[in-house]
Amino acid sequence: HYVAVAKEVDVPIVLYNIPARTGNKLLPETVVKLAQDVDNIIGAKDSSSDWENLKAYIQLTKNLDKKFYVLSGNDALILPALKEGGTGGIAGCSNVYPHVLASIYNFFQEGKLEEAQAAQDSIADFRAVFKYGNPNTVVKKAVKLLGHPVGDGRRPFNYLSEEVMTALKAVLASNKEKGMN
């Protein structure tokens, strides 16, 4: 599938592993094979929450004959991925806390690992709200609460109970007091 698509387009391609949504895991061996064999496949984003899988993407692609970008799709694994040799992340939480998420990368690049870890840790209470519903719904509701009219998620992922909305509002208020943005 990936090879067939890559042959038909003249743009860089980033593979995306999100088995919770696709029902299919993109194995590290497949990623490295595609990276080696297909010129315009330049990276992979792993949103599986499987640290060993993400780490294998990094380890197996680091010695390729081309630059290959491995990105964490799990916001909680951005700093560990950077420490392992990954490129960064594509973070859903950055829709709510863009400066905080960018600072993880920036602090890491500056060698300020304690500050990078503090930034990484600071999103934990927001991510804890994800247990109450679809993370995409939580993010969209949070962005809307922050004054950005992004609309609702697609059905059936467009609803959070009043209990969850109360918890979300409390986390947003607490993080605002901490200066998070």
Side-chain angles (χ1 to χ4, degrees), residues 12-170:
I13 296 172
V14 175
L15 306 171
Y16 189 16
N17 184 43
I18 186 164
R21 302 286 186 269
T22 64
N24 192 28
K25 183 177 180 180
L26 188 55
L27 297 173
E29 297 78 12
T30 303
V31 169
V32 74
K33 176 90 170 111
L34 289 167
Q36 290 171 328
D37 294 350
V38 184
D39 289 339
N40 58 333
I41 293 181
I42 63 155
K45 173 186 175 184
D46 182 44
S47 293
S48 69
S49 298
D50 179 346
W51 170 239
E52 294 302 319
N53 194 73
L54 177 57
K55 191 163 58 169
Y57 284 8
I58 295 166
Q59 292 304 314
L60 293 175
T61 61
K62 69 180 176 182
N63 294 319
L64 295 174
D65 291 334
K66 68 179 185 182
K67 177 68 176 160
F68 192 79
Y69 304 89
V70 178
L71 304 156
S72 175
N74 179 317
D75 302 337
L77 294 177
I78 294 171
L79 185 56
L82 288 167
K83 288 178 177 178
E84 190 68 26
T87 308
I90 300 175
C93 290
S94 65
N95 291 287
V96 181
Y97 300 113
H99 296 101
V100 172
L101 272 289
S103 75
I104 297 168
Y105 178 84
N106 293 334
F107 284 136
F108 178 80
Q109 290 300 316
E110 295 168 9
K112 298 178 178 177
L113 297 183
E114 287 182 25
E115 291 90 338
Q117 188 64 59
Q120 179 73 79
D121 294 344
S122 73
I123 61 169
D125 59 345
F126 176 70
R127 287 182 47 79
V129 180
F130 292 177
K131 69 184 174 194
Y132 296 115
N134 181 288
N136 298 324
T137 306
V138 172
V139 167
K140 285 194 88 140
K141 294 290 187 185
V143 171
K144 191 173 183 178
L145 288 169
L146 293 173
H148 306 285
V150 295
D152 290 327
R154 67 174 174 81
R155 292 177 187 238
F157 303 111
N158 60 350
Y159 173 79
L160 295 176
S161 70
E162 277 304 313
E163 175 187 7
V164 178
M165 289 299 292
T166 299
L168 178 57
K169 289 174 185 176

Side-chain angles (χ1 to χ4, degrees), residues 165-177:
M165 289 299 292
T166 299
L168 178 57
K169 289 174 185 176
V171 166
L172 291 174
S174 173
N175 287 343
K176 183 177 180 179
E177 287 179 20

